[in-house]
Amino acid sequence: MNENKQITTTVNRSFNRELMTLVIPIALQNLISATVVSADIVMLGMISQSAMSAVSLAGQITFVLTLFYMGLSTGAGILTAQYWGKKDQQTIQRILSIACLFSFIISVLFFSVSFLYPERLMRIFTDDGDLIMYGARFLQLNAFSYLAMGISQMYLSVIRSMENAKLSAWISAVCLILNIIFNAICIFVFFPGEPELAITAVALATVTARFIELGCCLVHSFTRGPIHFRIPVRDSIQRKLLRDFFKYTLPVLGNYIVWGGALTATAAIIGHVSADMVAANSVASVVKNLAVVLCGGIASGGAVLIGKYLGNGQIEKAKQAGKKMNLYALIFGVLAGLTILMIKPLVFYMVNLNVIAQNQLNGMLYICAYYCIAKSFNSTTIAGIFTAGGDSKFGFWCDTVVMWGIILPLAYLSAFVWQVSPLMLYFVISLDEIIKLPVAYIRYRQYKWLNNITRDFAEVG
């Protein structure tokens, strides 16, 4: 009993301090990343609602690609955090090489399809001719950014899992801020009132910023970084590590693809309902993503620490840390919902929507407020705590059943069979996190995520 109290006291003191050193940089990085999307949407919305909606829909392809990056980087982060707790830097070097290889292969595939068939991809999301034209133009040029993103995202994820979140945030922040500046110059200085040219320039600005980000990662890696970009070696250690990488990455990757594929499918449903709902949903998504940045920081930062504790054999400390994370997740989820309600007037002031889209957006923001509470808890448990301990299959099955077995069929019936109002359709689409919340809590209480998944590679040169 006294031992448990001592452990709890230790966690309360050290975990909060360690967590904040990770959460603040990660949250800042997430905020700036979401701000780039927000800035693009808001700035394009000032010159054309169609341009804003088209770029938002075209961004769904980048979103799907980002899901692959998230799956690969999360898998690499799971292993990195635990081997970091074990102080095995040589194995972490191998993990980076594996992650970069598969990430680059996927990036090339997405680049090829987006560059060669942009119109076909846009027709998945909308039948509107203007949206297809604008979106295809953006998508074809933006595809070049994929070639840089895959490598840089893996590097930033690995060094973040080595508790160097400040550097990861600094590199991302500089490049994303440059992206915003480039976009503003293109839209308001070079091509004001010319949506076609503005969209082209915004895409080129995004490509430029992404290659600058990759350059920063390369420079740091080869000058001051603890790990370096290298071609994967082929030996018995690599084969064992590759099996571990697939074991913990594939369920996470499957989870992100199932979840993100469902979100893309709902975007396609919305796109075939009305252009006004597309515009309102574009703004609501941006506001929601901005509101939950701290929640994402709790999940990512806490996962690094739990992984480190587990890799170091501190099982009870990891358990206590999980309790703290859930408490913080609920607190920040409530704050996120209240933030959405408080900034509503500012949102309507900044975007130029017609009356129908404004009315739909008003209702969507109220729905987003309650959505954030469940989203914060679920992302912290499923994407943070569970994956940190190697329990990565739960999220895959949970999202498969909830998103594809419940939400998507209901959304399709609501939109095209029952033909409910756009606001009711949005309510149905937003039920996923509410349904997952009690299931995630039950799984958390089973403590199947308390696993040390490392191997003894450190003694091998």
Side-chain angles (χ1 to χ4, degrees), residues 81-83 85-86 306-314 451-452 454:
Q82 293 223 3
Y83 280 105
K86 202 173 184 178
I306 286 180
K308 185 181 75 169
Y309 298 154
L310 292 172
N312 199 31
Q314 298 174 294
N451 304 299
N452 183 333
T454 62

Side-chain angles (χ1 to χ4, degrees), residues 105-429:
I105 291 172
I106 292 171
S107 297
V108 170
L109 291 175
F110 269 80
F111 164 78
S112 302
V113 175
S114 299
F115 184 76
L116 296 174
Y117 309 107
E119 291 88 358
R120 293 184 185 181
L121 291 175
M122 285 302 300
R123 291 185 188 279
I124 297 174
F125 303 105
T126 183
D127 297 321
D128 188 292
D130 287 340
L131 297 187
I132 291 173
M133 178 187 68
Y134 287 141
R137 181 185 295 270
F138 177 83
L139 187 58
Q140 192 171 44
L141 293 174
N142 189 55
F144 286 93
S145 69
Y146 304 161
L147 300 177
M149 285 174 63
I151 304 298
S152 60
Q153 293 306 301
M154 296 307 109
Y155 183 76
L156 294 175
S157 174
V158 169
I159 63 172
R160 183 168 59 241
S161 295
M162 297 170 69
E163 297 185 272
N164 198 352
K166 290 182 180 178
L167 176 67
S168 175
W170 182 86
I171 293 176
S172 293
V174 169
C175 299
L176 293 172
I177 289 171
L178 284 176
N179 195 359
I180 294 176
I181 294 172
F182 292 160
N183 289 348
I185 293 173
C186 293
I187 293 171
F188 299 121
V189 178
F190 292 155
F191 308 111
E194 300 180 72
E196 290 187 34
L197 294 176
I199 283 177
T200 301
V202 165
L204 291 175
T206 301
V207 173
T208 302
R210 287 300 182 183
F211 273 93
I212 291 174
E213 179 181 65
L214 176 59
C216 291
C217 292
L218 290 171
V219 170
H220 179 265
S221 170
F222 291 114
T223 57
R224 302 177 61 185
I227 53 174
H228 310 290
F229 289 104
R230 291 176 182 169
I231 298 174
V233 297
R234 299 180 63 181
D235 56 19
S236 60
I237 295 178
Q238 195 78 354
R239 285 191 291 272
K240 292 178 182 178
L241 191 58
L242 190 60
R243 285 197 295 269
D244 287 346
F245 183 79
F246 284 139
K247 179 180 179 180
Y248 298 108
T249 298
L250 289 179
V252 176
L253 181 58
N255 184 12
Y256 279 123
I257 292 173
V258 165
W259 170 75
L263 291 188
T264 303
T266 58
I269 292 173
I270 290 172
H272 287 87
V273 171
S274 72
D276 291 325
M277 188 176 183
V278 171
N281 181 60
S282 300
V283 178
S285 296
V286 167
V287 174
K288 181 170 60 180
N289 291 337
L290 285 173
V292 297
V293 290
L294 273 176
C295 308
I298 292 291
S300 299
V304 171
L305 294 179
I306 286 180
K308 185 181 75 169
Y309 298 154
L310 292 172
N312 199 31
Q314 298 174 294
I315 305 300
E316 187 62 32
K317 189 173 183 180
K319 185 177 180 179
Q320 295 297 327
K323 292 181 181 180
K324 279 282 185 179
M325 284 177 62
N326 278 336
L327 175 61
Y328 294 152
L330 289 174
I331 293 173
F332 284 110
V334 172
L335 291 176
L338 293 174
T339 299
I340 289 177
L341 298 180
M342 288 190 295
I343 65 172
K344 272 181 61 183
L346 178 62
V347 172
F348 283 102
Y349 175 78
M350 294 182 66
V351 296
N352 182 22
L353 302 178
N354 61 37
V355 176
I356 296 175
Q358 284 185 13
N359 290 335
Q360 293 177 4
L361 176 60
N362 184 59
M364 288 179 180
L365 292 179
Y366 279 109
I367 294 173
C368 287
Y370 80 77
Y371 179 92
C372 286
I373 301 173
K375 174 68 175 177
S376 179
F377 182 85
N378 291 337
S379 63
T380 299
T381 53
I382 298 174
I385 296 173
F386 296 170
T387 56
D391 185 18
S392 53
K393 293 181 181 179
F394 173 79
F396 171 75
W397 292 113
C398 185
D399 276 321
T400 299
V401 173
V402 173
M403 298 301 294
W404 290 90
I406 300 174
I407 298 301
L408 272 180
L410 280 178
Y412 181 86
L413 291 172
S414 298
F416 305 120
V417 178
W418 302 326
Q419 296 183 342
V420 301
S421 67
L423 197 56
M424 180 57 67
L425 173 61
Y426 189 79
F427 173 79
V428 170
I429 291 171

